[in-house]
Amino acid sequence: MLRTRLPLLFVALFAVPVAADDTLVQRIESVINGPDFKQARWGILFVDAKTGETIFEQNADKLITPASTTKLYTCATALGTFGPGFKFETPVYRRGDVTGDRLQGDLILVASGDLTLGGRTQLDGTMAFTNSDHTYALPTSTEHAITNTNPLAGLQELAGQVRQTGITRVSGDVLIDDRMFPHARGSGSGPDLLTPIIVNDNVVDLKITPGANQGEAATVKLWPQTGWVQMDAQVQTVAGGTTPSIEVISTGPQRFSVRGRIAQGSKPLIRIWPVDDPNAFARALFIECLRHNGVTVDAGLHAKPNAELPPRDGYEKLTRVALFTSPPLSEAIKVTLKVSHNLYASTLPLLVAHKHGQKSIADGMRWQRRFMVDLGVPVETISFAGGAGGMNADCTTPRATVKLLQAMRSRKEYEAWHAGFPILGVDGTLSEAVTEDSPAKGKVRAKTGTLSWFDAMNNRTLLRSKALAGTLTTASGKELFFAMFVNDVPLPLGVTTQREGRTLGRICEIIYQHGP
């Protein structure tokens, strides 16, 4: 999703002049019936959170493409299934005897589905996020897209625990057991290979820094640094003010090239390379962490393990030598919702399925249906194919989404769920949806959604969906539940989906100022 500060031109465009006696309905309709939305479809519902009274609605019972507001359903189901305080536990076992300080056998890390494996955890135990997450890797992404945390924190802690047992050499192999659920594919931008092992969102970050002078080669650094990948980088420093153009191309297993240009004097830019084998990536990083902690590992980073994994029920016969425990699930849910993290959201249905002894995304979605039925959400008005909201089959109604908000309000998981909603004008994907002086800044907590496709015939973007759903507190102090969706907006060349994001922000301002 592209996000920039709102130019004054856009402020003028969306600040529709109205007479003092115009009704709330007229103010909203003056926006949604504007010339930019001739071909579009709107679905809107605002209700009083206390009484359920409808404040405004349009097409509230029509099926609409919800984009990433789908994650509201996904995260609610995960919290309801596991509880906000649930913690992932990732163990390491040894297979073989220890002679002196040498393990005559293997180390096996058993993946538990931990979404971050310590990679976003801060000193206070909470998880860090940036308003524009590195997994989106936008053309303008700078180093601020990467959290100031250690992506290898979990692996380093496990390696340190292994060393504390007295093992200083592993003569066998290092294995990652990722059999928790079969690998699958998620939806949306960013890494989409879904596995039970996730390290640094299963990407390698690339920090690209221009040279001091035009014509010099830019510096391209990997993060986390690892000998597992092979990078061929040729990025040229060009005149200041030039638009950057950087391409990352996979050239083979564990290999990629980086090509392009970056302007002299510009801030370092961030790109990503989604790893092609998360299991091998995690294995190599764990070996490097073991070596860093003083444990010699005879096995090579690139060698394919010769040892077989034990039977799935065979770990009770092995000795556990390390255990990493994650922060509460509520923290991972917060990150998922604040930055609209597609990888995490796509993985959650697989974790729900596993909780119930099943394996597939479809299994997880059926358990989500059961949870929605228990909440009283009208599932017959919903169609979801995955957890992130990037599928063509994903549809819901404004009324079903508001019903989800109403039903969750009475549950113990609500506080953890609602705490993850981005705050209008403050953080996450809503950090720049209104201007700094907006009267509604800080008064809206809501999940965003953006889904667009490139229209090759017309060389433009078709905005399939721009969405916002959550809570709004009006100027009079009344809390509202709401869901807003606009579908199928052809965007003129050069116009980004941010324009519609500003429009939704404008409607929030109208409701805030002129609502009940």
Side-chain angles (χ1 to χ4, degrees):
M1 291 186 292
L2 300 178
R3 294 183 288 277
T4 57
R5 286 288 176 195
L6 180 62
L8 293 178
L9 174 62
F10 284 150
V11 175
L13 175 63
F14 292 137
V16 180
V18 291
D21 59 353
D22 279 352
T23 66
L24 175 66
V25 171
Q26 289 173 328
R27 290 174 185 271
I28 296 175
E29 289 184 345
S30 69
V31 175
I32 65 179
N33 293 330
D36 294 329
F37 305 111
K38 289 181 180 179
Q39 291 85 35
R41 295 180 295 115
W42 283 91
I44 305 175
L45 179 62
F46 281 81
V47 305
D48 187 306
K50 186 175 182 180
T51 67
E53 175 189 0
T54 297
I55 307 303
F56 180 87
E57 69 173 293
Q58 178 161 314
N59 297 326
D61 297 297
K62 296 293 186 181
L63 279 175
I64 300 287
T65 300
S68 283
T69 57
T70 299
K71 295 180 176 72
L72 290 174
Y73 295 81
T74 307
C75 291
T77 302
L79 287 170
T81 300
F82 295 98
F86 171 81
K87 296 181 179 182
F88 297 96
E89 292 187 341
T90 303
V92 175
Y93 294 88
R94 67 169 173 85
R95 178 172 56 187
D97 297 326
V98 177
T99 303
D101 60 356
R102 180 192 292 262
L103 171 60
Q104 305 283 354
D106 310 313
L107 287 177
I108 307 170
L109 184 155
V110 183
S112 67
D114 190 335
L115 299 176
T116 65
L117 203 59
R120 289 179 180 262
T121 305
Q122 304 178 100
L123 293 178
D124 63 358
T126 61
M127 286 187 187
F129 66 90
T130 63
N131 292 333
S132 180
D133 194 71
H134 70 145
T135 54
Y136 285 106
L138 305 176
T140 55
S141 292
T142 68
E143 56 190 331
H144 297 297
I146 299 177
T147 63
N148 187 26
T149 53
N150 179 5
L152 304 181
L155 293 178
Q156 288 181 349
E157 182 172 325
L158 289 169
Q161 291 181 33
V162 171
R163 179 64 183 84
Q164 288 171 11
T165 67
I167 296 173
T168 63
R169 190 177 192 106
V170 178
S171 61
D173 216 324
V174 173
L175 307 173
I176 305 292
D177 185 342
D178 64 352
R179 296 176 296 182
M180 182 181 182
F181 54 76
H183 296 185
R185 290 285 179 180
S187 63
S189 56
D192 67 347
L193 183 56
L194 310 180
T195 75
I197 187 73
I198 301 174
V199 182
N200 195 44
D201 299 330
N202 286 342
V203 303
V204 174
D205 291 299
L206 310 173
K207 181 180 178 181
I208 305 162
T209 305
N213 303 299
Q214 293 183 43
E216 291 184 3
T219 301
V220 183
K221 293 185 177 180
L222 301 176
W223 184 251
Q225 295 183 20
T226 174
W228 182 72
V229 300
Q230 182 177 348
M231 175 181 68
D232 174 28
Q234 294 184 40
V235 178
Q236 186 178 26
T237 304
V238 294
T242 304
T243 301
S245 176
I246 299 171
E247 189 174 17
V248 182
I249 308 167
S250 290
T251 55
Q254 303 157 221
R255 297 180 178 89
F256 60 91
S257 64
V258 187
R259 296 289 187 271
R261 64 174 185 263
I262 184 172
Q264 178 186 11
S266 72
K267 295 180 179 178
L269 297 177
I270 297 297
R271 296 293 185 271
I272 62 170
W273 178 69
V275 301
D276 47 21
D277 188 343
N279 184 302
F281 181 54
R283 175 183 177 273
L285 292 173
F286 189 35
I287 290 174
E288 290 173 326
C289 288
L290 286 164
R291 292 171 176 170
H292 179 75
N293 278 271
V295 180
T296 300
V297 178
D298 292 347
L301 296 184
H302 302 98
K304 186 175 181 179
N306 292 318
E308 296 290 334
L309 290 169
R312 296 189 187 185
D313 59 356
Y315 287 102
E316 60 186 23
K317 300 177 182 179
L318 303 182
T319 300
R320 194 180 76 190
V321 292
L323 179 69
F324 178 77
T325 302
S326 75
L329 177 63
S330 57
E331 283 297 309
I333 293 298
K334 176 192 70 178
V335 174
T336 303
L337 293 172
K338 287 287 189 183
V339 308
S340 201
H341 204 294
N342 291 317
L343 178 66
Y344 300 168
S346 292
T347 303
L348 287 173
L350 288 164
L351 299 178
V352 170
H354 180 267
K355 172 73 172 179
H356 295 287
Q358 296 177 317
K359 297 181 178 181
S360 71
I361 291 176
D363 292 329
M365 298 309 297
R366 284 188 283 270
W367 281 103
Q368 178 169 304
R369 183 185 189 279
R370 295 187 185 188
F371 183 69
M372 293 299 137
V373 169
D374 289 343
L375 289 179
V377 176
V379 294
E380 67 277 3
T381 66
I382 303 170
S383 171
F384 289 148
M391 303 284 197
N392 283 329
D394 294 339
C395 292
T396 188
T397 66
R399 196 173 306 280
T401 305
V402 168
K403 179 61 179 177
L404 172 64
L405 290 159
Q406 292 171 317
M408 285 294 292
R409 181 59 172 273
S410 63
R411 291 183 62 94
K412 62 183 179 181
E413 302 90 359
Y414 179 78
E415 183 177 350
W417 186 59
H418 190 239
F421 293 12
I423 303 173
L424 185 66
V426 175
D427 67 13
T429 53
L430 279 179
S431 63
E432 297 180 345
V434 293
T435 56
E436 285 290 335
D437 60 352
S438 169
K441 178 181 177 181
K443 305 301 181 181
V444 176
R445 284 181 174 267
K447 180 70 193 74
T448 59
T450 305
L451 183 63
S452 61
W453 304 104
F454 178 63
D455 173 7
M457 187 179 78
N458 295 296
N459 191 32
R460 64 184 181 183
T461 297
L462 175 65
L463 178 61
R464 286 287 293 119
S465 177
K466 195 71 176 180
L468 192 64
T471 62
L472 181 153
T473 302
T474 67
S476 65
K478 183 162 291 192
E479 185 181 28
L480 309 180
F481 292 136
F482 73 91
M484 289 191 289
F485 309 102
V486 59
N487 281 187
D488 301 329
V489 184
L491 300 180
L493 184 65
V495 174
T496 72
T497 60
Q498 291 174 311
R499 186 185 71 179
E500 276 56 49
R502 309 298 188 199
T503 302
L504 298 184
R506 175 59 183 152
I507 294 174
C508 287
E509 290 174 336
I510 292 171
I511 294 283
Y512 170 78
Q513 292 176 303
H514 306 289

Short mmCIF file of all heavy atoms in Angstrom, two decimals, residues 90-117:
data_model
loop_
_atom_site.label_atom_id
_atom_site.label_comp_id
_atom_site.label_asym_id
_atom_site.label_seq_id
_atom_site.Cartn_x
_atom_site.Cartn_y
_atom_site.Cartn_z
N THR A 90 8.88 -22.98 20.97
CA THR A 90 9.71 -23.61 19.94
C THR A 90 10.87 -24.35 20.62
O THR A 90 11.77 -23.71 21.17
CB THR A 90 10.26 -22.56 18.96
OG1 THR A 90 9.17 -21.84 18.37
CG2 THR A 90 11.09 -23.21 17.87
N PRO A 91 10.86 -25.68 20.59
CA PRO A 91 11.91 -26.45 21.27
C PRO A 91 13.02 -26.90 20.32
O PRO A 91 12.84 -26.95 19.09
CB PRO A 91 11.15 -27.67 21.79
CG PRO A 91 10.09 -27.90 20.74
CD PRO A 91 9.74 -26.54 20.17
N VAL A 92 14.17 -27.21 20.90
CA VAL A 92 15.27 -27.86 20.19
C VAL A 92 15.62 -29.13 20.96
O VAL A 92 15.78 -29.10 22.19
CB VAL A 92 16.51 -26.95 20.10
CG1 VAL A 92 17.69 -27.70 19.46
CG2 VAL A 92 16.19 -25.68 19.30
N TYR A 93 15.72 -30.24 20.24
CA TYR A 93 16.06 -31.53 20.84
C TYR A 93 17.41 -32.00 20.31
O TYR A 93 17.82 -31.64 19.20
CB TYR A 93 15.01 -32.59 20.49
CG TYR A 93 13.65 -32.33 21.08
CD1 TYR A 93 12.71 -31.55 20.41
CD2 TYR A 93 13.29 -32.87 22.31
CE1 TYR A 93 11.46 -31.30 20.95
CE2 TYR A 93 12.04 -32.64 22.86
CZ TYR A 93 11.13 -31.85 22.18
OH TYR A 93 9.89 -31.61 22.72
N ARG A 94 18.08 -32.80 21.12
CA ARG A 94 19.28 -33.47 20.63
C ARG A 94 18.97 -34.95 20.43
O ARG A 94 18.22 -35.57 21.19
CB ARG A 94 20.46 -33.30 21.58
CG ARG A 94 20.34 -33.97 22.93
CD ARG A 94 21.68 -33.93 23.65
NE ARG A 94 21.60 -34.41 25.03
CZ ARG A 94 21.68 -35.68 25.39
NH1 ARG A 94 21.79 -36.63 24.46
NH2 ARG A 94 21.63 -36.01 26.67
N ARG A 95 19.54 -35.49 19.37
CA ARG A 95 19.42 -36.92 19.09
C ARG A 95 20.84 -37.48 19.05
O ARG A 95 21.62 -37.13 18.16
CB ARG A 95 18.70 -37.15 17.76
CG ARG A 95 18.58 -38.62 17.38
CD ARG A 95 17.69 -38.81 16.16
NE ARG A 95 18.13 -38.04 15.01
CZ ARG A 95 17.45 -37.94 13.87
NH1 ARG A 95 16.27 -38.53 13.75
NH2 ARG A 95 17.93 -37.24 12.86
N GLY A 96 21.15 -38.31 19.99
CA GLY A 96 22.50 -38.85 20.10
C GLY A 96 23.08 -38.55 21.46
O GLY A 96 22.53 -37.77 22.25
N ASP A 97 24.22 -39.15 21.73
CA ASP A 97 24.87 -38.98 23.03
C ASP A 97 25.86 -37.83 23.00
O ASP A 97 26.39 -37.46 21.95
CB ASP A 97 25.62 -40.27 23.41
CG ASP A 97 24.68 -41.45 23.59
OD1 ASP A 97 23.54 -41.22 24.05
OD2 ASP A 97 25.07 -42.58 23.24
N VAL A 98 26.09 -37.27 24.20
CA VAL A 98 27.09 -36.22 24.36
C VAL A 98 28.31 -36.84 25.03
O VAL A 98 28.23 -37.38 26.13
CB VAL A 98 26.56 -35.05 25.21
CG1 VAL A 98 27.66 -34.02 25.42
CG2 VAL A 98 25.34 -34.42 24.54
N THR A 99 29.43 -36.80 24.32
CA THR A 99 30.71 -37.30 24.86
C THR A 99 31.60 -36.11 25.15
O THR A 99 32.04 -35.42 24.22
CB THR A 99 31.39 -38.24 23.86
OG1 THR A 99 30.51 -39.32 23.54
CG2 THR A 99 32.68 -38.79 24.44
N GLY A 100 31.84 -35.86 26.43
CA GLY A 100 32.55 -34.64 26.80
C GLY A 100 31.68 -33.45 26.45
O GLY A 100 30.60 -33.27 27.00
N ASP A 101 32.15 -32.64 25.50
CA ASP A 101 31.35 -31.50 25.06
C ASP A 101 30.86 -31.68 23.62
O ASP A 101 30.36 -30.75 23.02
CB ASP A 101 32.15 -30.21 25.18
CG ASP A 101 33.43 -30.23 24.33
OD1 ASP A 101 33.72 -31.28 23.72
OD2 ASP A 101 34.14 -29.20 24.31
N ARG A 102 31.00 -32.88 23.06
CA ARG A 102 30.63 -33.14 21.66
C ARG A 102 29.33 -33.93 21.59
O ARG A 102 29.19 -34.98 22.24
CB ARG A 102 31.73 -33.92 20.97
CG ARG A 102 31.43 -34.25 19.49
CD ARG A 102 32.42 -35.28 18.95
NE ARG A 102 33.75 -34.71 18.84
CZ ARG A 102 34.27 -34.23 17.71
NH1 ARG A 102 33.56 -34.26 16.60
NH2 ARG A 102 35.49 -33.75 17.69
N LEU A 103 28.39 -33.42 20.80
CA LEU A 103 27.16 -34.16 20.51
C LEU A 103 27.41 -35.08 19.33
O LEU A 103 27.67 -34.60 18.22
CB LEU A 103 26.01 -33.19 20.21
CG LEU A 103 24.71 -33.84 19.69
CD1 LEU A 103 24.14 -34.84 20.69
CD2 LEU A 103 23.68 -32.77 19.33
N GLN A 104 27.36 -36.38 19.59
CA GLN A 104 27.54 -37.36 18.53
C GLN A 104 26.17 -37.63 17.89
O GLN A 104 25.62 -38.72 18.00
CB GLN A 104 28.12 -38.66 19.12
CG GLN A 104 29.40 -38.49 19.91
CD GLN A 104 30.60 -38.30 19.00
OE1 GLN A 104 30.51 -38.41 17.78
NE2 GLN A 104 31.75 -38.02 19.60
N GLY A 105 25.65 -36.61 17.27
CA GLY A 105 24.32 -36.74 16.68
C GLY A 105 23.82 -35.40 16.20
O GLY A 105 24.61 -34.51 15.85
N ASP A 106 22.50 -35.24 16.22
CA ASP A 106 21.85 -34.10 15.57
C ASP A 106 21.15 -33.19 16.56
O ASP A 106 20.71 -33.61 17.63
CB ASP A 106 20.81 -34.61 14.57
CG ASP A 106 21.36 -35.66 13.63
OD1 ASP A 106 22.46 -35.44 13.08
OD2 ASP A 106 20.69 -36.71 13.45
N LEU A 107 20.99 -31.93 16.15
CA LEU A 107 20.10 -30.99 16.81
C LEU A 107 18.87 -30.80 15.92
O LEU A 107 19.01 -30.62 14.70
CB LEU A 107 20.77 -29.64 17.03
CG LEU A 107 21.85 -29.55 18.11
CD1 LEU A 107 22.45 -28.14 18.12
CD2 LEU A 107 21.28 -29.89 19.49
N ILE A 108 17.69 -30.81 16.52
CA ILE A 108 16.45 -30.68 15.75
C ILE A 108 15.59 -29.57 16.35
O ILE A 108 15.16 -29.67 17.51
CB ILE A 108 15.64 -32.00 15.75
CG1 ILE A 108 16.53 -33.17 15.29
CG2 ILE A 108 14.42 -31.88 14.85
CD1 ILE A 108 15.89 -34.54 15.48
N LEU A 109 15.37 -28.53 15.58
CA LEU A 109 14.47 -27.45 15.98
C LEU A 109 13.08 -27.78 15.44
O LEU A 109 12.92 -27.98 14.23
CB LEU A 109 14.96 -26.11 15.44
CG LEU A 109 14.19 -24.84 15.83
CD1 LEU A 109 15.10 -23.62 15.76
CD2 LEU A 109 12.97 -24.60 14.95
N VAL A 110 12.10 -27.82 16.32
CA VAL A 110 10.73 -28.16 15.92
C VAL A 110 9.92 -26.88 15.79
O VAL A 110 9.61 -26.22 16.78
CB VAL A 110 10.08 -29.11 16.94
CG1 VAL A 110 8.68 -29.51 16.46
CG2 VAL A 110 10.93 -30.36 17.14
N ALA A 111 9.58 -26.54 14.56
CA ALA A 111 8.83 -25.30 14.30
C ALA A 111 7.44 -25.39 14.91
O ALA A 111 6.75 -26.40 14.78
CB ALA A 111 8.74 -25.05 12.80
N SER A 112 7.02 -24.28 15.55
CA SER A 112 5.74 -24.27 16.26
C SER A 112 4.72 -23.33 15.64
O SER A 112 3.63 -23.16 16.17
CB SER A 112 5.97 -23.85 17.71
OG SER A 112 6.40 -22.49 17.76
N GLY A 113 5.08 -22.69 14.52
CA GLY A 113 4.18 -21.71 13.92
C GLY A 113 4.34 -20.32 14.49
O GLY A 113 3.54 -19.43 14.18
N ASP A 114 5.37 -20.09 15.31
CA ASP A 114 5.64 -18.77 15.87
C ASP A 114 5.81 -17.78 14.72
O ASP A 114 6.67 -17.95 13.85
CB ASP A 114 6.91 -18.82 16.72
CG ASP A 114 7.14 -17.55 17.53
OD1 ASP A 114 6.66 -16.48 17.13
OD2 ASP A 114 7.83 -17.64 18.57
N LEU A 115 4.99 -16.73 14.71
CA LEU A 115 4.97 -15.81 13.58
C LEU A 115 6.21 -14.93 13.50
O LEU A 115 6.55 -14.44 12.42
CB LEU A 115 3.72 -14.92 13.65
CG LEU A 115 2.38 -15.67 13.58
CD1 LEU A 115 1.23 -14.70 13.76
CD2 LEU A 115 2.25 -16.43 12.27
N THR A 116 6.91 -14.71 14.61
CA THR A 116 8.06 -13.80 14.59
C THR A 116 9.33 -14.40 15.15
O THR A 116 10.41 -13.89 14.90
CB THR A 116 7.74 -12.51 15.38
OG1 THR A 116 7.57 -12.83 16.75
CG2 THR A 116 6.48 -11.85 14.86
N LEU A 117 9.24 -15.46 15.94
CA LEU A 117 10.39 -16.12 16.55
C LEU A 117 11.34 -15.09 17.19
O LEU A 117 12.55 -15.13 17.00
CB LEU A 117 11.13 -16.98 15.53
CG LEU A 117 11.99 -18.13 16.11
CD1 LEU A 117 11.12 -19.08 16.93
CD2 LEU A 117 12.68 -18.90 15.00
#
